[in-house]
Amino acid sequence: ISPVRLCMFHPKEQPMERGWVGRIDGERVLHLAAQTLQSFFLGGGGAREHAEYRLDAVTLLVPVSYPPAVRVFDAQDAFEFANPAAARGPGAVAARPTGADSLTLLPRLAAVIGAAGAIGGFSLFADWRVPGEPPPKDRDFCSVLGPVVVTPDELDGASFAVSVRVDGEERPCGSFGGFDWDAARQLAAEGTELRPGDILVSPSPGAVEGI
């Protein structure tokens, strides 16, 4: 099975809040017959294709709007809940809360839950924090998810380096890898039910401070 790169999008000349489900294929985006990414996963990933758009002619949106729950892991065996209403898409402005002199960014990897509590795909997650603010209010104002969700076979346990660009400067943050996603999923599901669109977030390989 070939890896699939999924997104939510709208044509630039046709703005809409929720957008459409799309599959990115090179420099084009294929509109898929599903209302949301969650419904695409629940349908088995076999939605028919509609119109085709150039990638540079569309705006990519947050892949999951208002996820049911966001669980952020800082260790393999423990997580904290984050604010689902704070999840934003690419291009979001992380405005400093009143009184904050600077922000800290922790880049993370996120798993999007699909059908039957399984992981449907992976995306990037920007965890914004206010230094010195007691948790959980330190991260309550903004997190950024997306823009692309790749099916699990594209990662396949790979380790890869991550960097963050700040004012045009690349800042290395370490590497993703070594996190047991299946164990994290099982821990998150204990005593409850994982729903399509739930987000599990990995530990961060390193922080970027003073933004």
Side-chain angles (χ1 to χ4, degrees), residues 63-97:
V64 181
S65 296
Y66 303 107
V70 179
R71 294 172 173 87
V72 180
F73 287 77
D74 280 318
Q76 184 67 68
D77 58 355
F79 63 83
E80 296 178 348
F81 284 99
N83 182 4
R88 305 286 190 267
V93 176
R96 295 175 185 170

Side-chain angles (χ1 to χ4, degrees), residues 85-152:
R88 305 286 190 267
V93 176
R96 295 175 185 170
T98 302
D101 295 326
S102 66
L103 298 177
T104 296
L105 173 62
L106 289 87
R108 300 177 184 263
L109 192 62
V112 181
I113 297 298
I119 293 175
F122 291 96
S123 191
L124 294 176
F125 189 92
D127 184 9
W128 289 98
R129 301 289 189 93
V130 178
E133 184 75 17
K137 294 303 293 183
D138 62 334
R139 63 148 59 100
D140 210 30
F141 64 104
C142 181
S143 58
V144 179
L145 176 68
V148 177
V149 175
V150 300
T151 49

Side-chain angles (χ1 to χ4, degrees), residues 2 24 58 83 128 171 184 208:
S2 300
I24 298 176
V58 307
N83 182 4
W128 289 98
R171 299 193 188 181
V208 179

Side-chain angles (χ1 to χ4, degrees), residues 18-101:
R18 189 178 67 182
W20 298 327
V21 178
R23 178 172 65 84
I24 298 176
D25 180 12
E27 296 302 315
R28 61 178 186 161
V29 180
L30 302 172
H31 178 196
L32 303 179
Q35 291 187 337
T36 63
L37 204 60
Q38 297 95 305
S39 63
F40 174 82
F41 288 136
L42 287 172
R48 69 182 184 277
E49 298 174 357
H50 286 319
E52 174 184 320
Y53 299 86
R54 296 194 327 273
L55 183 58
D56 61 5
V58 307
T59 298
L60 299 179
L61 306 172
V62 61
V64 181
S65 296
Y66 303 107
V70 179
R71 294 172 173 87
V72 180
F73 287 77
D74 280 318
Q76 184 67 68
D77 58 355
F79 63 83
E80 296 178 348
F81 284 99
N83 182 4
R88 305 286 190 267
V93 176
R96 295 175 185 170
T98 302
D101 295 326

